[in-house]
């Protein structure tokens, strides 16, 4: 494969947005020869991806219409990354000056709006890449060997966003292509991609509200396919295990603060009642596997309660709950607890996500 990569690098300084002979050759090598080389490795790479390797997918692009200064070839799970604008994937980029190939793992950096690609806000891209980095460092201890700067020499806004959307990168200089073990780097990248997919499959990259909204959408529109990645949300048994873990940690925190605690979740629009002397506090508990807990979903009667008794209730959010499955049974551990005693719900913004629509009587 290194011969084809080298030829792409030789052609990069001749970049033109027009379909010149050099760009025609670049596109042919990219979309056929290099893509085929990755497909030839599909058995090995899909095995490394584990349960996400069953829909192993390779695609490539040198531009839609006009040629791009940063052509790419990627592999992924097609259910976790239905298109290049969604999810995480391994992707090869080529320096615009032809100096190096970059083996990277990155995510979508744009959306297709009104017939063209619009670059996502920097903070949205940064949140995704920083999350992926944290997951890989948690598993492997560091980003090595994918710890090089994501500097591909891009100048135009969309290609420049590819650099920002790179979670981690290994730069292979042009004169080291022949001596570098490219297959080993592909395997190492696939290992890291699998770890990211595993974390996504239990919703670690989305907020609790986004998880629940996805489940509501699936119930309301079971036939609708929006292209959003699969593996989004938890099964009912997994969700119960997470909720139980959150309740357990919340209860223990309250006991440690000297409260007596009663579970009211079966009959009241809140989960726990905490009592200390004459003081009674109604407690809402939210548990999630997510690393992000800045949005939650609440029912109408829950919102009404916390507004009516604003400043006298409590919100406890337990995030980063660890979830494992063995023989169909779920086990939980960990959890980061945040307690807002005397919670003011109006300090949070409320956005309607669904409406109950009833037929008017005649």
């Amino acid at each position: 494969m290194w011969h084809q990569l080298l030829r792409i690098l030789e052609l990069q300084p001749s970049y033109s947005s027009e379909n010149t002979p050099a760009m025609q050759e670049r596109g042919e090598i990219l979309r056929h020869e290099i893509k085929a080389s990755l497909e030839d490795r599909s058995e090995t790479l899909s095995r490394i991806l584990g349960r996400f390797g069953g829909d192993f997918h390779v695609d490539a692009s040198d531009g839609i219409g006009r040629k791009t200064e940063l052509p790419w070839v990627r592999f992924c799970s097609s259910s976790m990354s239905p298109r290049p604008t969604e999810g995480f994937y391994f992707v090869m980029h080529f320096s615009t000056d032809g100096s190096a190939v970059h083996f990277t793992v990155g995510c979508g950096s744009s959306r297709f709006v009104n017939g063209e690609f619009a670059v996502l806000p920097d903070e949205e891209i940064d949140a995704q890449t920083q999350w992926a980095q944290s997951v890989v460092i948690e598993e492997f201890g560091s980003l090595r060997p994918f710890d090089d700067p994501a500097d591909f020499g891009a100048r135009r806004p969309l290609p420049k966003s590819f650099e920002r959307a790179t979670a981690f990168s290994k730069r292979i200089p042009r004169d080291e292509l022949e001596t570098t073990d490219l297959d080993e780097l592909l395997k190492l990248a696939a290992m890291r991609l699998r770890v990211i997919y595993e974390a996504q499959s239990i919703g670690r990259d989305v907020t609790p509200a986004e998880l629940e909204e996805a489940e509501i959408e699936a119930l309301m529109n079971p036939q609708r396919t929006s292209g959003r990645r699969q593996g989004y949300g938890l099964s009912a048994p997994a969700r119960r295990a997470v909720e139980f873990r959150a309740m357990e940690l919340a209860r223990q925190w309250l006991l440690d603060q000297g409260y007596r605690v009663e579970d009211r979740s079966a009959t009241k629009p809140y989960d726990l009642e905490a009592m200390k002397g004459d003081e009674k506090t109604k407690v809402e508990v939210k548990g999630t596997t997510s690393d992000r807990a800045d949005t939650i979903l609440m029912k109408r009667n829950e919102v009404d309660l916390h507004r009516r008794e604003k400043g006298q209730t409590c919100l406890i959010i337990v995030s980063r709950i660890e979830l494992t499955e063995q023989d169909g049974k779920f086990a939980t551990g960990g959890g980061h607890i945040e307690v807002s005693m005397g919670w003011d719900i109006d300090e949070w913004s409320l956005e309607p996500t669904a409406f109950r629509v009833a037929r008017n009587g005649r």
Side-chain angles (χ1 to χ4, degrees):
M1 179 170 61
W2 73 268
H3 294 91
Q4 292 91 348
L5 299 179
L6 178 60
R7 183 56 184 154
I8 294 285
L9 293 180
E10 290 170 348
L11 292 166
Q12 277 293 83
S14 302
Y15 166 71
S16 169
S17 62
E18 304 297 327
N19 195 25
T20 63
M23 294 298 95
Q24 290 179 34
E25 182 184 357
R26 189 187 71 165
E28 285 294 315
I29 296 171
L30 188 85
R31 288 180 276 104
H32 296 98
E33 297 178 34
I34 298 177
K35 180 174 181 286
S37 292
L38 283 182
E39 289 171 337
D40 289 343
R41 294 161 169 80
S42 63
E43 183 176 348
T44 297
L45 296 174
S46 62
R47 185 171 62 251
I48 293 171
L49 289 177
R51 63 191 177 104
F52 304 102
D55 57 358
F56 183 83
H57 174 71
V58 181
D59 59 349
S61 176
D62 61 331
I64 298 174
R66 300 176 72 82
K67 300 303 178 182
T68 179
E69 62 180 344
L70 279 187
W72 52 262
V73 187
R74 73 175 192 138
F75 71 73
C76 61
S77 157
S78 61
S79 57
M80 297 300 287
S81 178
R83 53 184 63 88
T85 55
E86 295 182 58
F88 284 88
Y89 40 83
F90 166 84
V91 57
M92 287 185 204
H93 287 297
F94 303 84
S95 293
T96 56
D97 63 0
S99 62
V101 178
H102 305 262
F103 277 27
T104 78
V105 170
C107 60
S109 63
S110 62
R111 293 193 184 98
F112 199 64
V113 181
N114 297 327
E116 60 183 30
F117 287 104
V119 176
L120 295 174
D122 288 351
E123 60 271 18
E124 188 172 335
I125 298 174
D126 291 346
Q128 293 184 75
T129 56
Q130 289 166 14
W131 173 81
Q133 290 167 5
S134 70
V135 168
V136 169
I137 291 171
E138 178 184 294
E139 178 69 20
F140 296 99
S142 74
L143 295 177
R144 290 191 302 271
F146 300 92
D147 53 357
D148 292 325
D151 182 1
F152 314 144
R155 294 174 294 274
R156 291 162 175 78
L158 181 59
K160 194 72 180 171
S161 73
F162 297 166
E163 296 179 343
R164 194 170 204 112
T166 298
F168 42 89
S169 174
K170 173 62 179 175
R171 182 181 187 274
I172 309 164
R174 177 171 168 171
D175 58 3
E176 295 179 17
L177 273 174
E178 184 177 2
T179 57
T180 298
D181 191 338
L182 302 179
D183 282 308
E184 180 63 17
L185 283 177
L186 290 172
K187 292 174 187 177
L188 292 175
M191 290 177 190
R192 284 146 183 78
L193 188 57
R194 183 191 67 215
V195 168
I196 293 171
Y197 285 166
E198 290 285 1
Q200 287 186 302
S201 72
I202 59 171
R204 285 185 56 186
D205 63 325
V206 291
T207 68
E210 288 169 332
L211 280 172
E212 293 187 54
E213 285 166 359
E215 291 163 3
I216 291 171
E217 173 69 16
L219 287 171
M220 294 176 67
N221 300 290
Q223 302 304 315
R224 181 176 295 174
T225 55
S226 65
R228 192 165 194 156
R229 70 158 203 262
Q230 303 298 308
Y232 191 81
L234 304 179
S235 66
R239 192 163 54 249
R240 284 195 295 271
V242 169
E243 290 169 356
F244 182 82
R245 175 65 177 172
M247 290 283 281
E248 181 183 61
L249 290 182
R251 181 185 184 89
Q252 188 58 55
W253 187 91
L254 291 165
L255 290 172
D256 290 344
Q257 304 307 307
Y259 289 93
R260 291 177 290 114
V261 183
E262 295 291 339
D263 188 335
R264 304 296 191 195
S265 59
T267 58
K268 301 291 184 180
Y270 53 93
D271 295 303
L272 300 173
E273 191 169 71
M275 295 156 285
K276 184 190 292 186
D278 295 333
E279 176 189 349
K280 273 188 182 180
T281 303
K282 296 166 183 175
V283 182
E284 180 73 24
V285 180
K286 295 293 184 181
T288 178
T289 54
S290 175
D291 294 343
R292 301 166 53 203
D294 47 6
T295 63
I296 58 176
L297 210 63
M298 298 183 74
K299 296 188 285 290
R300 171 71 177 270
N301 61 345
E302 295 170 339
V303 170
D304 288 345
L305 167 70
H306 290 283
R307 276 188 157 166
R308 188 171 60 248
E309 302 186 23
K310 183 171 65 172
Q312 302 173 50
T313 62
C314 176
L315 172 67
I316 297 180
I317 300 177
V318 185
S319 58
R320 304 177 193 173
I321 294 175
E322 299 165 5
L323 181 70
T324 56
E325 179 185 4
Q326 187 170 6
D327 300 327
K329 295 182 179 180
F330 291 92
T332 56
H336 174 73
I337 189 166
E338 297 177 78
V339 180
S340 298
M341 190 66 73
W343 186 44
D344 183 351
I345 191 173
D346 290 331
E347 291 180 350
W348 293 50
S349 61
L350 276 71
E351 299 177 4
T353 60
F355 293 90
R356 179 182 177 188
V357 182
R359 189 189 303 274
N360 291 326
R362 293 183 179 180

